[in-house]
Amino acid sequence: MTDVWPLVHAERRALVDDLSGLSDEQWRTSSLCAGWTVHDVAAHLVGNAGHISVAGLVVAMARARFDFDRMNQADAARELGDGPAYTLRRLREVAGNTDAPPFVPLVVRLVEEVVHGEDVRRPLGIAHDYPAAAVVPALEHQVRTKVSIAGGRERAAGVRLRASDADVVIGEGPEVSGPVVSLLLAVSGRSAARADLSGPGLSALG
């Protein structure tokens, strides 16, 4: 995964470009990430891009009572600042960072940038062309990773995922086909992406 960082940096900068010029109302738009606005997701991505040591991670988890979602919410809250302009500036500043949480596979950086990128773009009606080199490893990671740690293994269990726009077939069972980005979103728990998918396995896709 030595080529991950250029892909991550490109996606961060593309998102900065897409968020530039949004109105205050658009920043308040509900994202695909349940309970979070576009502003919240952008702030979360800023927090994710920052450096955290092993000791820092332990302290952050302890403060969140070892609740992963609560820790993410606390990180995002710190980067909301005094409004969207602050968060956008911070997102631009961290776009080239090469920091990652300890013990977390580097491919998770791709999952974050692609899935959260769509979390904000889709509700805003913004189209973006993601490279297969970013999306395919992200999908492969998600289908191997438990839902309890932000993956999608249980959702994808018992079906065959076939991308209509990439050379990707994963799993066994009744087929679900569609754009690879939409497959990634669906196994990551974004039900809005199911409208892009078809096949006899769709009802079994969790």
Side-chain angles (χ1 to χ4, degrees):
M1 299 302 294
T2 56
D3 295 328
V4 163
W5 286 119
L7 293 166
V8 169
H9 296 160
E11 290 309 317
R12 286 174 180 166
R13 291 175 178 127
L15 186 60
V16 167
D17 288 344
D18 284 343
L19 296 180
S20 297
L22 293 185
S23 67
D24 287 346
E25 181 179 1
Q26 287 174 308
W27 279 100
R28 292 191 296 267
T29 299
S30 295
S31 75
L32 298 186
C33 192
W36 280 13
T37 65
V38 167
H39 191 187
D40 293 329
V41 174
H44 169 67
L45 287 173
V46 174
N48 266 6
H51 174 72
I52 185 168
S53 63
V54 174
L57 180 62
V58 171
V59 170
M61 283 296 292
R63 286 174 176 166
R65 302 174 188 173
F66 297 94
D67 183 310
F68 185 73
D69 289 337
R70 185 180 288 119
M71 184 181 72
N72 279 340
Q73 289 167 358
D75 285 344
R78 282 192 294 273
E79 297 297 345
L80 291 172
D82 58 1
Y86 170 86
T87 304
L88 185 62
R89 183 174 69 252
R90 289 284 294 130
L91 194 59
R92 185 178 289 110
E93 290 171 353
V94 303
N97 283 12
T98 55
D99 296 312
F103 315 121
V104 176
L106 193 53
V107 67
V108 172
R109 300 296 89 192
L110 293 176
V111 176
E112 290 277 337
E113 298 306 325
V114 176
V115 174
H116 286 319
E118 286 298 275
D119 280 342
V120 301
R121 286 186 174 104
R122 290 196 176 208
L124 292 171
I126 298 173
H128 179 65
D129 185 18
Y130 297 88
V135 185
V136 173
L139 175 61
E140 292 172 341
H141 172 79
Q142 288 298 80
V143 299
R144 294 192 305 264
T145 305
K146 293 180 179 179
V147 169
S148 61
I149 51 174
R153 189 171 75 185
E154 295 87 342
R155 297 187 188 99
V159 299
R160 178 189 292 113
L161 304 175
R162 183 183 298 275
S164 58
D165 55 353
D167 186 18
V168 179
V169 179
I170 300 173
E172 297 294 335
E175 189 167 286
V176 179
S177 64
V180 66
V181 169
S182 297
L183 292 172
L184 170 61
L185 291 176
V187 301
S188 299
R190 275 51 173 185
S191 59
R194 294 172 67 92
D196 302 334
L197 306 176
S198 62
L202 187 56
S203 61
L205 185 64

